[in-house]
Amino acid sequence: MMRRFPASFLVTLIWAAAPLAAQDFVTLKGHGGPIMDIAVSAEGQVATASFDNAVGLWRGRAPTWLDAHAAAVNCVAFDGDDLLSGGDDFAVIAWREGTPMRLGYHKGKVTDVAVSPDGRLIASASWDGTVGLWHTDAPERFRALGNGGLNDVMFSPDGATLYAAGAGGAIIELSVEGDTQRPLVKHGFGVNVMTMDPAGRWLAYGAVDGVTRVVDLPSGRERADFTLDRRPVLAMAHHPATGQLAVGDGQGYIMILDTETWRITRDFRATRQGPIWALAFSPDGKVIYAGGLDDVAYAWPVALLDEYDPIQGPTRSFQRDAENMPNGERQFMRKCSICHTLTPGASRKAGPSLHGVFGRRAGTVPDYLYSDTLTGSDIIWDEDTIDQLFDLGPDHYIPGSKMPMQRITDPQDRRDLTDFLKTATN
């Protein structure tokens, strides 16, 4: 059974400015899409990155929404009092007191951002295969690694070296100022996440094939292996002061390791609907934050993890049994529902509401931040334009649109979707 606490200990809306007590279970609600990343500042402030194109900054009794990305936000990191974010719109953004300053763009989605120990440089990893180095007072520098798309990047403790993990299965070590680079790890399967001991003694990484491994630095020799029969490994968080290393996977588990004894101290099924995409510790290491497929970020007291049942969130629309739906509804649930609602009014979904879409000019839903290409568009949504949208794919029909790249190739599937939308959005 899930542990039951007195009402005074249960926080069910958002985290308040005061640090969490060790017995608090917390849900951070308000996003309109899955949680892609979580960062916690030294003062305990929480930032969340979401598929809904927004960064949530949780402070006081309500979140502040930071809306400047034109697509899903994949990563957040604190830089002192400032915040950094990167997303599917290829942009790297620095937030100064809530005001966005675009540092620049990659040529592919940005998967991670990191700050050098002295705060002088910002590094970004991208699926374009490059590491970006940014400084607010100097032009950006891009380092192409030739290792396929990159999933993670971090600085060494002295700030002189960068480590980049990629879909090609390698972790590359490269100097910040020079051109030298070497493969530290050749794994063979894509490496998703990594973290490092602040003393520079070891590096831990998680991979697509479920491997969770620790290697010595600078040799790259294996120190410990905690691979379980769960894949992929998608998130890591390290709390140096308490020696805790948290690992999240595609099946909804959070494994806690003791980095002094190198043993598993807890293995917690956090959610029945996996995956765990985001992990972060509170400043004192007593609370673990996690995010994934739900539109909610959760936090549990680490010491009491074994006393909680897994979260059983609502079944997402795209997870519903396809056999119980007509084909048009099935197409909507699979292709559209994660980004769009069918009901009137604003939402925090990645896309605007489709209520009343037929006969509506594209780019005209109030209070929605459209891409430039749709603002002032001549497109009127009807059977023909919706059919063309999914026949060609949004990236070809409306180049520059926020809509993800996808097609519905079967003409009957497109007709069924259109018929469903005509009824459901009226």
Side-chain angles (χ1 to χ4, degrees):
M1 295 292 293
M2 179 173 286
R3 183 181 176 93
R4 302 294 181 185
F5 294 109
S8 60
F9 288 139
L10 185 62
V11 181
T12 57
L13 179 60
I14 64 168
W15 170 74
L20 292 176
Q23 63 267 56
D24 286 342
F25 168 73
V26 176
T27 61
L28 308 182
K29 296 181 179 180
H31 275 294
I35 307 300
M36 312 301 293
D37 196 16
I38 301 173
V40 181
S41 73
E43 292 74 32
Q45 187 165 28
V46 179
T48 48
S50 174
F51 189 83
D52 68 2
N53 305 351
V55 173
L57 193 60
W58 302 85
R59 175 170 44 196
R61 295 197 58 80
T64 298
W65 300 116
L66 306 182
D67 292 306
H69 283 282
V73 187
N74 298 316
C75 50
V76 284
F78 280 98
D79 180 11
D81 294 331
D82 297 329
L83 190 67
L84 305 166
S85 61
D88 278 3
D89 57 354
F90 308 172
V92 179
I93 295 178
W95 299 87
R96 302 288 167 81
E97 298 182 349
T99 300
M101 180 177 70
R102 284 176 174 80
L103 299 183
Y105 292 88
H106 277 272
K107 295 181 180 179
K109 66 188 295 182
V110 179
T111 53
D112 194 35
V113 287
V115 183
S116 63
D118 62 4
R120 188 176 59 90
L121 287 174
I122 296 160
S124 54
S126 171
W127 275 15
D128 66 7
T130 68
V131 169
L133 283 171
W134 313 83
H135 193 294
T136 55
D137 299 323
E140 70 276 5
R141 291 174 283 159
F142 290 101
R143 300 284 294 279
L145 299 188
N147 188 41
L150 300 179
N151 296 322
D152 205 358
V153 66
M154 63 183 177
F155 286 91
S156 62
D158 63 5
T161 303
L162 279 166
Y163 295 86
I171 298 175
I172 304 296
E173 179 185 87
L174 61 155
S175 62
V176 170
E177 297 298 337
D179 295 324
T180 59
Q181 60 178 264
R182 73 176 180 105
L184 175 72
V185 171
K186 296 180 180 180
H187 182 65
F189 290 86
V191 178
N192 290 325
V193 288
M194 56 185 175
T195 190
M196 180 184 292
D197 168 32
R201 297 170 298 177
W202 53 262
L203 178 149
Y205 70 91
V208 171
D209 59 345
V211 162
T212 301
R213 192 166 290 159
V214 184
V215 298
D216 282 321
L217 293 173
S219 68
R221 289 191 296 267
E222 183 179 317
R223 173 182 288 212
D225 193 309
F226 296 95
T227 303
L228 302 175
D229 189 22
R230 301 197 293 260
R231 64 187 66 183
V233 176
L234 298 167
M236 278 187 170
H238 181 219
H239 191 264
T242 58
Q244 296 178 104
L245 175 61
V247 181
D249 62 46
Q251 292 176 240
Y253 283 84
I254 301 174
M255 177 173 59
I256 306 290
L257 307 174
D258 184 330
T259 62
E260 296 301 321
T261 62
W262 291 116
R263 64 183 183 89
I264 300 173
T265 58
R266 289 175 178 82
D267 194 28
F268 170 53
R269 182 73 181 270
T271 172
R272 295 193 184 280
Q273 295 192 118
I276 300 296
W277 280 323
L279 287 171
F281 281 104
S282 61
D284 60 8
K286 294 181 179 180
V287 173
I288 184 73
Y289 292 86
L293 197 60
D294 289 346
D295 298 348
V296 180
Y298 301 97
W300 296 266
V302 176
L304 300 177
L305 282 179
D306 297 336
E307 302 187 32
Y308 285 91
D309 285 339
I311 295 294
Q312 183 65 60
T315 300
R316 302 302 302 266
S317 55
F318 50 84
Q319 294 178 304
R320 288 174 51 194
D321 185 358
E323 299 302 319
N324 296 328
M325 292 181 281
N327 186 44
E329 184 179 8
R330 181 163 59 247
Q331 297 302 321
F332 171 79
M333 293 304 176
R334 288 179 171 178
K335 298 291 186 178
C336 313
S337 65
I338 195 170
C339 295
H340 300 279
T341 66
L342 299 171
T343 54
S347 73
R348 292 219 58 84
K349 291 278 190 178
S353 169
L354 297 183
H355 183 77
V357 68
F358 279 82
R360 187 171 75 203
R361 185 179 299 276
T364 58
V365 172
D367 300 324
Y368 181 77
L369 181 65
Y370 285 95
S371 55
D372 292 340
T373 192
L374 273 176
T375 302
S377 172
D378 292 330
I379 296 172
I380 304 295
W381 293 122
D382 57 23
E383 294 92 335
D384 292 335
T385 54
I386 291 175
D387 182 86
Q388 292 177 58
L389 176 73
F390 287 104
D391 182 20
L392 300 175
D395 50 319
H396 287 92
Y397 186 61
I398 315 173
S401 167
K402 295 182 187 181
M403 293 185 66
M405 295 178 287
Q406 58 181 331
R407 296 180 62 206
I408 300 176
T409 57
D410 188 321
Q412 186 61 53
D413 288 342
R414 297 197 300 274
R415 284 193 292 271
D416 290 344
L417 171 63
T418 303
D419 289 342
F420 169 76
L421 289 174
K422 287 174 68 176
T423 300
T425 65
N426 187 355

